[in-house]
């Protein structure tokens, strides 16, 4: 179980790295509000990594950091970026569900309860990415509406 939790730390840091790369590309495209949203997303992933790290420590496990793969650096459009972010969140949901199944197999009740937070969190993560993908799909290439989405996303705390 501890090995699997350590792998999840790497997945969360990898997510952070991917979203940082997406934020940089959005900045490059001139969408500072979208970039801001994506940087907030990256920060959340770091918080997730810290939560897993803290839990491994609390269970007297050893935290082992692994290499983070080099992320993709350019995408076609903001829509392609947010679609990729959504697909990544769906992948992460799968990794969390696998952890829950493993905890159940091992009858590790404490870990299952710890993971509940992430099960709920992933529902929100997918929903918020979906929301942006839907909005971007509606506006297509129209510059005015794209900048409206940009100022909407700039408001994320
Ligand atoms: Fe996460
Ligand atoms: Fe996430």
């Amino acid at each position: 179980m501890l090995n699997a939790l350590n792998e999840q730390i790497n997945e969360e840091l990898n997510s952070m790295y991917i979203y940082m790369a997406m934020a940089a590309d959005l900045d490059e495209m001139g969408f500072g509000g979208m970039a801001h949203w994506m940087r907030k997303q990256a920060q959340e992933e770091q918080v997730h990594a810290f939560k897993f790290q803290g839990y491994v420590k609390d269970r007297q496990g050893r935290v082992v950091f692994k290499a983070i793969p080099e992320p993709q650096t350019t995408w076609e459009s903001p829509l392609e970026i947010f679609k990729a972010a959504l697909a990544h969140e769906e992948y992460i949901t799968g990794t969390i569900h696998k952890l829950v199944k493993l905890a159940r197999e091992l009858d590790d009740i404490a870990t299952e309860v710890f993971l509940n937070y992430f099960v709920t969190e992933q529902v929100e993560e997918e929903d918020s990415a979906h929301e942006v993908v839907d909005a971007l799909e509606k506006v297509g290439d129209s510059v005015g509406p794209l900048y409206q989405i940009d100022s909407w996303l700039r408001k994320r705390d």
Side-chain angles (χ1 to χ4, degrees):
M1 189 77 246
L2 287 174
N3 275 347
L5 291 169
N6 261 315
E7 269 165 40
Q8 193 64 30
I9 295 175
N10 188 263
E11 291 285 6
E12 299 296 337
L13 293 173
N14 183 38
S15 304
M16 178 189 75
Y17 218 37
I18 291 170
Y19 297 150
M20 285 173 77
M22 288 175 169
D25 201 34
L26 287 162
D27 269 328
E28 196 71 30
M29 292 175 190
F31 294 109
M34 296 182 196
H36 165 80
W37 189 99
M38 204 53 89
R39 265 191 295 276
K40 288 282 174 188
Q41 193 67 17
Q43 280 173 342
E44 274 194 14
E45 301 306 345
Q46 192 193 25
V47 171
H48 295 165
F50 278 135
K51 276 188 203 279
F52 278 101
Q53 183 177 4
Y55 183 73
V56 170
K57 177 192 77 74
D58 290 349
R59 295 298 301 274
Q60 322 309 320
R62 186 173 182 85
V63 175
V64 181
F65 292 108
K66 296 184 180 136
I68 301 170
E70 195 172 299
Q72 185 175 335
T73 48
T74 55
W75 287 263
E76 283 287 300
S77 62
L79 176 60
E80 288 312 309
I81 288 181
F82 281 91
K83 272 187 182 169
L86 173 58
H88 186 72
E89 286 301 330
E90 287 167 347
Y91 162 74
I92 292 296
T93 299
T95 66
I96 297 288
H97 290 181
K98 265 194 210 155
L99 288 175
V100 172
K101 283 175 194 156
L102 182 62
R104 283 181 183 167
E105 270 168 40
L106 300 172
D107 215 11
D108 185 345
I109 297 166
T111 300
E112 189 180 344
V113 170
F114 165 75
L115 290 168
N116 278 345
Y117 166 85
F118 287 97
V119 173
T120 308
E121 175 70 9
Q122 282 311 116
V123 174
E124 283 172 28
E125 293 265 85
E126 286 187 28
D127 183 51
S128 57
H130 252 126
E131 197 182 16
V132 183
V133 168
D134 286 348
L136 287 170
E137 273 175 345
K138 280 195 192 89
V139 307
D141 293 330
S142 336
V143 176
L146 270 176
Y147 279 103
Q148 273 178 330
I149 293 175
D150 193 64
S151 38
W152 162 44
L153 296 183
R154 196 183 295 275
K155 294 189 184 94
R156 180 174 178 176
D157 294 322

